[in-house]
Amino acid sequence: MMRGRLIFPFLAEVYRLNTSSTAATDPDGPGPLTSGYDDDFKESVLVDPDGDGVGTRVRLEHSPVRIPCQVEPEVFDQLRMYASGNAARSNIELVFHFKDLEQMGLVDVGSGEALIRSGDRLSGIYDKHEALVQSIRTPPGLYVREARPIGFGLNRALPRRNLLLVSFADRPQGTRGTV
C-alpha cells in the first residue's frame, strides 16, 4: 500500500505532556489549587512557591520518544528586543508520517487522532544514527502549537492520510515589572 515517505528524515525527541498525572498533582499543598492542570485553558498551571513574582510551570511528562520527521525551520532565535532585554522567537515545523506514529502507538485507535498534542515539548533533533543535531533550550523551550493532518490520498484504491504537520513555537517569557 503506497502512503509515501519522509524526505531526508531526522528524529525528533518529543516529551508528551502527561495531563492526567499533572492534573492529579496538588501544586501548592495547602493553597487554593487542587490540580496542576487547568481544564479551562488546557495547560499546566503556574505557581510561585518563593513569592518572587516568577511562576514555575507544574508539568509532568511522559518518557521521551524519538519520532522520524522532516524538519522545516521557520524562525530560530530571531532577535526581539524589549526594554527588559532580548526575547528571542523560534518556530519550527516538523512533518511526521502517520505510518511511523501508528507503529509507535502514537495514534488513538478509537478516534484516529494523533497523540502529539498541544503542550508537548520538543527537546532535540537527531540524525538517523541518533547523533544530536540540535538541542532545544528549556526555558524557553519549543511546544506544540498546532498538530494538523495533511497529505490525504496518494493511493487511489485505498486513500488514507499520511502526514501530520506539527508546529512547535516558544512561549513568551514574562517578566515582573517594578514600580
Side-chain angles (χ1 to χ4, degrees):
M1 173 176 27
M2 180 164 174
R3 288 180 78 181
R5 64 181 177 84
L6 296 174
I7 302 169
F8 306 117
F10 284 83
L11 297 171
E13 186 171 70
V14 176
Y15 284 82
R16 295 184 309 121
L17 177 62
N18 187 335
T19 55
S20 58
S21 293
T22 301
T25 302
D26 184 357
D28 61 351
L33 296 174
T34 58
S35 174
Y37 189 76
D38 188 315
D39 284 324
D40 293 330
F41 291 105
K42 304 292 184 219
E43 66 178 22
S44 52
V45 299
L46 288 169
V47 294
D48 183 9
D50 56 6
D52 67 353
V54 178
T56 302
R57 192 159 297 280
V58 175
R59 181 180 177 86
L60 297 174
E61 299 172 320
H62 292 282
S63 298
V65 290
R66 290 192 182 169
I67 311 165
C69 68
Q70 282 175 211
V71 180
E72 308 288 338
E74 289 187 18
V75 177
F76 201 81
D77 281 347
Q78 179 184 43
L79 181 66
R80 291 186 305 177
M81 291 301 296
Y82 293 100
S84 58
N86 178 26
R89 182 174 79 99
S90 295
N91 185 23
I92 293 178
E93 289 186 339
L94 301 180
V95 178
F96 299 104
H97 201 292
F98 267 97
K99 176 183 63 172
D100 297 321
L101 295 173
E102 290 161 0
Q103 290 172 351
M104 298 176 78
L106 295 173
V107 176
D108 183 274
V109 178
S111 69
E113 182 181 358
L115 297 179
I116 304 297
R117 296 183 171 146
S118 181
D120 293 349
R121 179 173 63 89
L122 178 65
S123 68
I125 298 172
Y126 295 79
D127 68 18
K128 63 182 179 179
H129 302 292
E130 301 207 20
L132 180 65
V133 172
Q134 174 76 50
S135 66
I136 307 299
R137 288 186 315 272
T138 302
L142 292 177
Y143 298 86
V144 173
R145 180 181 63 201
E146 177 186 21
R148 176 171 39 111
I150 60 172
F152 287 78
L154 292 184
N155 183 344
R156 286 185 167 186
L158 183 62
R160 298 178 66 181
R161 66 183 175 184
N162 60 348
L163 300 175
L164 179 72
L165 176 66
V166 180
S167 294
F168 290 87
D170 58 352
R171 290 182 170 172
Q173 299 294 301
T175 58
R176 184 176 81 167
T178 56
V179 180

